[in-house]
Amino acid sequence: MTFGQKSQGLMVVEQEAERLTSHMLGMDPSVVGYQSQPFVVDLIDHAILRTGEQRQQAKAKHKDRPGPKLFTPDFLVQLSGGRQRVVEVKLDGYLGDAAYQQKLELAQAILWDHGYEFMRVVVPISPKHPLRLNVPLLHQATLRKDLMPQTDVYREVEQLAQQGAHTMSEFCTGLAVSTRMAPVLLAFGTLSMDLTAYQIRGDAPAEPAFGSLDHLQLLWGLGT
């Protein structure tokens, strides 16, 4: 179980990579909402199956057909501007065999015909990868609306940058806050940093975000 921001609240995921993906979707400013395992794609009849009854009927109908029959996406994402993107999550090093790749290609073509974009994202497997370390901290920080910085903090950060601050610890010292507040400053657009390259800590390069949350668009950089 995990809490899915911009989703239905508590949700069930099948693996840790999906939990991490859910958290990235929740904090991404380009994401309006998302669902886990939203429907099933009928690879034989090229249909979208939205109910349990439809899925059971398709299984019975195709039971004697060789090859892949059904495909269940991991997430359906509603993007700003009205676009809908289906996301399939894989763990680095476990991308599936040739038959699975063919199944994905067929599913992608069917989804496109139904008006859905498709993307496979590959989550890093190393527990020391910055995303593995940063995303849980940021996810928790986004839930702390009570710690959201005041507007005048943005001006203070800009002044600190003009005075030469360029690391997380230098900005935090200038703001008279602990570096433990760094995830909050990042989550609410006070500071920005490359979250895929550096772990959130004092010596990480940082800069003013001016209220932008673009640095939280993390998932799309993992697409293949």
Side-chain angles (χ1 to χ4, degrees), residues 34-48:
Y34 62 96
Q35 298 173 262
S36 174
Q37 297 189 345
F39 48 66
V40 172
V41 180
D42 186 329
L43 300 175
I44 305 297
D45 289 341
H46 292 202
I48 303 296

Side-chain angles (χ1 to χ4, degrees), residues 9 21 34 41-42 53 72-73 95 97 106 149 167 171 179-180 221:
T21 298
Y34 62 96
V41 180
D42 186 329
E53 182 180 0
T72 304
L95 303 183
D97 57 16
L106 177 56
T167 66
F171 281 109
T179 53
R180 288 179 294 181

Side-chain angles (χ1 to χ4, degrees), residues 74-217:
D74 291 321
F75 293 98
L76 172 62
V77 183
Q78 308 290 334
L79 296 167
S80 56
R83 293 154 54 207
Q84 299 185 89
R85 180 175 296 167
V86 167
V87 174
E88 177 73 357
V89 180
K90 301 303 292 182
L91 192 61
D92 188 22
Y94 298 89
L95 303 183
D97 57 16
Y100 174 76
Q101 304 307 323
Q102 292 177 350
K103 180 178 180 179
L104 279 191
E105 291 175 5
L106 177 56
Q108 180 176 2
I110 295 170
L111 288 164
W112 182 260
D113 288 340
H114 284 270
Y116 298 103
E117 299 177 11
F118 178 85
M119 176 177 284
R120 184 185 69 169
V121 299
V122 180
V123 174
I125 192 171
S126 171
K128 296 182 179 180
H129 191 282
L131 277 180
R132 287 277 187 175
L133 300 170
N134 293 339
V135 170
L137 296 176
L138 292 166
H139 171 68
Q140 292 299 319
T142 58
L143 303 179
R144 295 299 305 272
K145 306 296 184 184
D146 58 311
L147 297 178
M148 184 181 298
Q150 300 297 313
T151 305
D152 57 353
V153 174
Y154 297 106
R155 292 192 295 271
E156 292 181 49
V157 165
E158 184 177 5
Q159 292 172 357
L160 289 169
Q162 292 171 351
Q163 295 166 9
H166 67 279
T167 66
M168 189 62 69
S169 62
E170 289 170 347
F171 281 109
C172 288
T173 298
L175 294 172
V177 299
S178 167
T179 53
R180 288 179 294 181
M181 284 290 291
V184 172
L185 298 174
L186 292 162
F188 293 109
T190 304
L191 291 173
S192 173
M193 62 173 281
D194 187 344
L195 293 160
T196 63
Y198 300 96
Q199 181 183 349
I200 300 174
R201 61 186 193 186
D203 59 354
E207 60 185 10
F210 303 105
S212 171
L213 298 177
D214 288 349
H215 55 282
L216 299 181
Q217 295 188 49

Side-chain angles (χ1 to χ4, degrees), residues 47-61:
I48 303 296
L49 311 178
R50 303 185 185 277
T51 69
E53 182 180 0
Q54 289 175 331
R55 291 191 288 272
Q56 291 301 320
Q57 290 175 348
K59 287 180 180 179
K61 180 180 179 180

